[in-house]
Amino acid sequence: QVQLVESGGDLVQPGGSLRLSCSFSGPGYDFATICWFRQAQGKQREAVSCLSGRMGRTYYSSDVKGRFTISGDKVKNTVWLGLDMLKLEDTATYYCAAGAFEVYGSNWMNPRNYDYWGQGTQVTVAT
């Protein structure tokens, strides 16, 4: 069974940094796209960033562009999300999601494109 496991969430002050990890395993997986979504309390799940295709195209939401960085290592079966200059509004549960197909344009933001999801890791930004 394919599994995605997130880690790295923590309590951090505004302006601080974190690095989230998503490790994936299981028989027969070959993900073309790995993404991070987040969901704040009382709000809908939203796309944060994606890494797609052999060339490693990256996508970022306007809220995090310039502050977050997505990267991956297929050998280590891990994708990371670096979070810098954190803001109070970045507080949320962050989820890793994976799909078998490459994504293009705004399709990366659609959670229906991803078949596998992790359980989430909590990021709390507070003074």
Side-chain angles (χ1 to χ4, degrees):
Q1 185 177 352
V2 173
Q3 284 189 320
L4 279 69
V5 180
E6 304 95 333
S7 62
D10 206 345
L11 171 64
V12 63
Q13 291 186 341
S17 298
L18 285 174
R19 191 188 197 200
L20 307 183
S21 297
C22 172
S23 298
F24 42 93
S25 62
Y29 70 86
D30 186 16
F31 302 131
T33 301
I34 307 283
C35 297
W36 288 92
F37 285 73
R38 68 185 181 186
Q39 187 167 17
Q41 194 169 5
K43 294 189 177 181
Q44 287 189 333
R45 189 170 296 192
E46 62 176 357
V48 175
S49 182
C50 272
L51 185 64
S52 186
R54 290 180 180 273
M55 299 302 292
R57 285 190 311 281
T58 57
Y59 299 91
Y60 297 96
S61 71
S62 57
D63 288 344
V64 308
K65 194 169 186 177
R67 300 189 298 119
F68 292 7
T69 305
I70 192 169
S71 60
D73 187 328
K74 278 205 167 185
V75 174
K76 295 183 178 180
N77 296 336
T78 303
V79 169
W80 297 275
L81 184 68
L83 288 64
D84 295 310
M85 296 180 286
L86 281 162
K87 304 176 181 179
L88 296 174
E89 52 264 39
D90 292 320
T91 295
T93 302
Y94 284 70
Y95 297 92
C96 181
F101 304 102
E102 293 188 34
V103 291
Y104 300 91
S106 61
N107 286 338
W108 75 275
M109 304 184 82
N110 188 344
R112 294 181 181 180
N113 288 326
Y114 310 106
D115 298 317
Y116 300 99
W117 292 80
Q119 294 300 306
T121 186
Q122 179 66 35
V123 172
T124 302
V125 185
T127 57

